[in-house]
Amino acid sequence: MEKSKTIQKPLNSKGASIFKKMLEDKKAIHQHLKKGGKLGDLKNKYRFVKPLSTSGS
């Protein structure tokens, strides 16, 4: 029985570039907070959203 070759999909999808940007932003924010910075310092550079409540009120 022969092994079939795996199909290589191109990484040129719309979502790939968005995901890459999200990971870069996450890393930059993490480094800033690790150095003692505050989220308020980053509010002009990044858009933050309010977390959704998971309680069933």
Side-chain angles (χ1 to χ4, degrees):
M1 183 184 253
E2 294 181 28
K3 287 188 177 182
S4 62
K5 295 181 180 179
T6 57
I7 298 172
Q8 296 290 332
K9 292 184 180 181
L11 297 176
N12 297 341
S13 68
K14 268 187 185 178
S17 62
I18 294 170
F19 185 67
K20 184 177 178 182
K21 174 74 169 125
M22 285 173 35
L23 290 177
E24 291 171 356
D25 291 348
K26 179 185 178 287
K27 184 177 179 181
I29 293 168
H30 177 74
Q31 289 297 324
H32 178 75
L33 295 176
K34 192 174 180 182
K35 291 179 182 177
K38 296 183 180 181
L39 282 177
D41 300 338
L42 299 173
K43 69 179 181 179
N44 292 332
K45 190 172 182 180
Y46 301 103
R47 285 189 324 182
F48 295 103
V49 296
K50 288 184 177 182
L52 295 175
S53 175
T54 56
S55 63
S57 299

